Amino acid sequence: MKVLVSDSLENEGLEILKKAKGLTLEVKTGLPEAELCKAVADVDALVIRSGTKVTAKVLEAAKNLKWIGRAGIGVDNVDVEAASRRGVIVSNTPFGNMITTAEHAISLLFSLAREVPQATASMKEGKWEKKRFKGVELFGKTFGVVGLGNIGKVVADRGLGLKMKVLAYDPFVSAEKAASLGIELASLEDIFKRADIITVHTPLTDQTRGIVGKDAFAKMKKGVLIVNAARGGIVDEAALLEALDSGKVAGAALDVFVEEPPTPGSTSEKLVKHPKVICTPHLGAATAEAQLNVAIQVAEQAVDYLLKGETRNAVNIPAVPIEQAEQLAPYLTLAEKMGSFHSQMHPEGFDQVEVELIGEVATLITKPVVLAALKGLLTPSMSSETPVNYVNAPVIAHEKGIAVRQSQSIEAVDYASLIRIRTTKGGGSANSTEGAIFGKSGGRIVAVGNYRVEVIPRGTLMALSNRDEPGVIGSIGTCLSKHKVNIASMSLGRESQGGKAIAILEVDEPASDAAVKDLLAAPNILSVRQIRL
């Protein structure tokens, strides 16, 4: 498989890719979009830094692309939505430069608080302005950290070490978790009102763009300090410029800008030139240690994905902790097989899907199980040119207008763990399939609608609906024997004696159209479905 590295990468990372058996490495850096489109036409993986822009056009040209690896944290130079639609995994390296970036934010804060850059510039001009540069002490200040991810946690920890009172906002962190770190979890509004210093450490998304804006500045204390070493645009630059001019903000330290580099006359350039702003040219991850770490990590991730199928630090599929990966594996297999079985049992389709997880499975990371079921449900209706995977399954469902929901309960009833897939179309009656794990023997389908069965979801299955009358099973065997179709196993279920029943057969090879026609002509046979798993 072919790996293209389109931005500069340390030799240690390149060597990992070169030595991996089964991979071919190409290094082409600094390509404009048109040339990049040609270069990615036949690659399986693309390794980038911040320089390469992976647009929808580039993704369209990359017919074989399966994985994009970003040597660094931010993926705002990748059209993640377009990648997901095409089933391409996008991974980053969130741990390789987190210490370096956090340290840079703290160094900016120190420099801002004590006006180090301004004092340095003054001395280089031959001046000795001791009385001009009167800084502020960090000890005892209230430190507001917006975003308590990998970098935010390190920054908050350093703030605690400086004996500041640390407040943090992060909707994905519990108050208990924050308290265990010695941090007070607070609302954004609370941070804006109480903090003497505010630093941001979130990714740039539609939700975080301009999160520190005009309304936020209006709530802040007079003389607040602002630090942004995350992404340009999280802090509204026009609002910050206004707050600096009014004196509401005493100073700002910026490593990132909306325009990089700032263009003449832009708001970004006005901030760079502002006397109350200190700045650096996006140096957050610019240490030898960080660059080496992310190069090695992204190369190892590329090898692990392409040669072992292991995915780490993907931003467009749910992360699974290592300790749960082995536990989840049988549930993922079962859910996908159940989804495929269910979809082929009900070819009329669906516009509503519910995946219900009951018992022990509900205590695990459940999102991958739902994605596996959705992948199985959608695959039979898609062409081979549009393979469904964990990445694009939700996108395909959304584009088809299929509503997907999940529910879970840890209280098991009949089985230690149960997965139930239920679908409806146009508000009609629901169809359901249930499956359970049976120890080391793997997963089985245990119910189809109201029928209790026990079916191993594999190979070729035939599902027959029939009236519960004597001789039906014999006629099925006779008919298939006539057409040289061998039955490997059979599971029977019925609603009530003499009512409707179901027979699910595992056969060694698919039955011919003639065999299916003969089965349908047999007495008391109502329908025949042939299912391939």
Side-chain angles (χ1 to χ4, degrees), residues 260-283:
E260 295 183 357
T263 57
S266 67
T267 305
S268 296
E269 190 202 37
K270 290 176 183 177
L271 284 171
V272 169
K273 292 184 175 181
H274 200 285
K276 294 181 182 178
V277 173
I278 66 169
C279 48
T280 49
H282 205 146
L283 300 180

Side-chain angles (χ1 to χ4, degrees), residues 23-43:
L23 299 186
T24 300
L25 174 64
E26 280 195 1
V27 180
K28 295 180 179 179
T29 61
L31 298 177
E33 186 179 60
E35 290 184 34
L36 181 61
C37 286
K38 294 178 183 177
V40 298
D42 61 344
V43 305

Side-chain angles (χ1 to χ4, degrees), residues 89-100:
I89 294 172
V90 180
S91 293
N92 64 356
T93 53
F95 306 110
N97 56 16
M98 66 180 186
I99 297 296
T100 287

